[in-house]
Amino acid sequence: LMCLYISLDYFLSANVRKISVREIDSYYIYNTCYIEMIMEKLRIAVTGAAGNLGSLLSYGLLNENVNLNLLIHKKELPIDISEKENVSVHKVDLARQETLNDALKDVDIIVHFAGILFMSNPEKFLPVTNTLYFSNLLDAAIRQNVKRIILISCPHVEGESSPESPAKGSLKGKPISMHAKTRLEEERLLFHYAERFNFEPVSLRVGMVYGKGILMIDAAQWFARHWLLGVWKKPTHIHLISKDDFVTATIAAIIKPDIKGIYHVGDEGIQTLQQFLDDITTYRNYHKPWRMPVWMIMTAARTFELFSSIFGTQSPLTVDFIRIGMVSYYGDTTRMRKELLPQLKYKTYKEGIHLF
């Protein structure tokens, strides 16, 4: 009945022009195949599923009509995710392609989060953990005939942008930070592989995700609570998206047909990092961030990195984080609003301030 309705709808919508029987048949066959795929349940693989954003998406997908292959490395998943009937957990190592074969078997769509962020000397490890490991994932996906691969990226890959001159979805950016450089290289790999092997490539360039439970937001609030949060003086535009809208947009990119290309994911708000931090710390009755000279913040980052390198711990701040953070970024969300998320739950962070 669904197939008949779709074909009839298409036929009636075309009553102002002549269409051939072959054209109707082609449309019918395409939608029949898509409906059958949905009825059989999509199988979604999420890399970095135990990470901050990966687990957030995993929670969001639990009640969807999909099967989940959740890929983890060392960190375990929460029990309320791992024990769900539609969840299969796979321990993998992206450095070793052979560990990916079972995890990607019968998978239709991959969402890639996995990576290392909070460690010292990112200039050394990011070309491996971002670029090389993603290449390994792509090779394994090709062998398993995965139909769509979604990379969670960021607007920084185009270099500096602003509300007046937003990022448009180019692969020709010249970012200055190693995080953004290697993420851009991942995007180029994704679209290069898609041209060769005919799958749907999707890059979601996500602005700063906000809300309680997001690591960077929680860290900022902890520092503010102890009167330790500082920020540079130069106003820096940022593009935000609530954690709820981020999950909704990403699920749409997974489930909807004919999704491919680059999408900037952000809300309608126009604000600076300084204004944002002032407002969210005030909301929690914490101390507003101190305005500090850049050299002082860089010194703190180098101290954290030194401690991390000596003791093998995470580094909550790195010099490369400061470099990427000091660059204004803002994306053109026209495609996102048209194809993924026509209606935002929170148009600005002020509407979603209770999420903090």
Side-chain angles (χ1 to χ4, degrees):
L1 288 174
M2 289 175 69
C3 295
L4 179 61
Y5 171 79
I6 288 171
S7 298
L8 182 61
D9 177 68
Y10 179 71
F11 177 79
L12 292 175
S13 67
N15 60 4
V16 296
R17 63 182 178 88
K18 293 183 178 180
I19 55 176
S20 66
V21 172
R22 179 178 295 178
E23 188 177 358
I24 295 177
D25 287 345
S26 298
Y27 188 81
Y28 175 84
I29 291 169
Y30 172 81
N31 283 282
T32 300
C33 293
Y34 179 71
I35 290 168
E36 286 178 351
M37 184 171 66
I38 295 296
M39 296 297 285
E40 292 174 359
K41 286 191 178 183
L42 289 170
R43 182 166 293 277
I44 315 300
V46 180
T47 71
N52 195 215
L53 294 182
S55 60
L56 184 66
L57 177 65
S58 297
Y59 275 116
L61 285 167
L62 288 180
N63 294 322
E64 297 292 330
N65 186 37
V66 297
N67 291 311
L68 296 176
N69 284 17
L70 301 183
L71 280 56
I72 62 174
H73 186 208
K74 295 179 180 179
K75 186 178 179 181
E76 297 291 337
L77 281 162
I79 293 178
D80 56 347
I81 293 180
S82 61
E83 293 188 350
K84 291 290 185 179
E85 185 178 348
N86 62 333
V87 169
S88 176
V89 181
H90 300 264
K91 281 201 170 186
V92 302
D93 183 352
L94 292 178
R96 300 167 53 215
Q97 288 192 32
E98 65 273 15
T99 68
L100 295 168
N101 293 330
D102 288 341
L104 299 184
K105 185 177 180 181
D106 299 324
V107 163
D108 299 293
I109 298 169
I110 296 173
V111 185
H112 180 58
F113 288 96
I116 300 174
L117 292 178
F118 303 102
M119 292 294 290
S120 63
N121 199 13
E123 294 81 5
K124 182 178 180 179
F125 68 77
L126 283 176
V128 176
T129 60
N130 275 4
T131 311
L132 178 60
Y133 288 3
F134 186 56
S135 178
N136 288 344
L137 178 67
L138 290 173
D139 287 337
I142 297 306
R143 289 196 299 271
Q144 298 296 337
N145 196 30
V146 173
K147 301 175 182 65
R148 181 181 300 171
I149 301 175
I150 301 172
L151 172 66
I152 305 300
S153 187
C154 60
H156 305 78
V157 297
E158 282 195 42
E160 188 161 18
S161 55
S162 67
E164 296 76 25
S165 181
K168 295 287 189 178
S170 171
L171 292 172
K172 298 180 180 179
K174 296 181 179 179
I176 61 172
S177 74
M178 186 56 66
H179 278 86
K181 287 178 181 178
T182 52
R183 193 65 75 189
L184 178 59
E185 187 58 32
E186 284 185 87
E187 288 194 13
R188 289 169 176 166
L189 278 172
L190 174 68
F191 290 100
H192 174 68
Y193 269 72
E195 286 182 2
R196 291 179 59 197
F197 299 105
N198 195 31
F199 61 83
E200 294 177 324
V202 181
S203 174
L204 298 183
R205 292 182 177 175
V206 181
M208 182 188 295
V209 181
Y210 68 81
K212 189 175 181 181
I214 303 301
L215 286 179
M216 286 191 289
I217 300 298
D218 289 353
Q221 297 283 34
W222 185 93
F223 280 109
R225 186 167 69 248
H226 295 86
W227 290 50
L228 295 173
L229 183 62
V231 68
W232 48 89
K233 299 176 183 178
K234 181 182 176 181
T236 307
H237 278 105
I238 59 173
H239 206 167
L240 297 167
I241 186 78
S242 73
K243 61 182 184 181
D244 293 0
D245 285 319
F246 161 72
V247 170
T248 303
T250 306
I251 291 176
I254 293 169
I255 293 177
K256 295 185 73 172
D258 296 327
I259 298 298
K260 56 185 175 182
I262 296 172
Y263 298 80
H264 285 277
V265 179
D267 63 18
E268 297 177 2
I270 296 176
Q271 61 281 304
T272 65
L273 173 64
Q274 290 78 5
Q275 176 189 357
F276 172 68
L277 292 176
D278 283 348
D279 287 349
I280 67 171
T281 52
T282 298
Y283 176 77
R284 296 297 300 272
N285 293 316
Y286 298 152
H287 191 275
K288 288 184 180 182
W290 305 95
R291 299 309 194 259
M292 295 180 173
V294 175
W295 69 263
M296 187 179 293
I297 299 173
M298 286 294 193
T299 299
R302 291 188 178 96
T303 302
F304 280 122
E305 285 198 66
L306 178 61
F307 188 90
S308 172
S309 63
I310 293 174
F311 296 101
T313 59
Q314 289 190 333
S315 178
L317 194 63
T318 68
V319 171
D320 200 60
F321 270 163
I322 304 303
R323 290 196 185 111
I324 196 172
M326 292 186 69
V327 176
S328 290
Y329 60 93
Y330 204 90
D332 182 345
T333 60
T334 303
R335 282 200 73 193
M336 180 205 77
R337 297 299 297 273
K338 182 179 179 181
E339 300 178 30
L340 301 181
L341 191 62
Q343 185 66 42
L344 290 160
K345 187 174 183 180
Y346 304 107
K347 294 182 179 180
T348 71
Y349 76 90
K350 293 185 178 182
E351 288 188 6
I353 195 74
H354 63 278
L355 296 175
F356 297 95

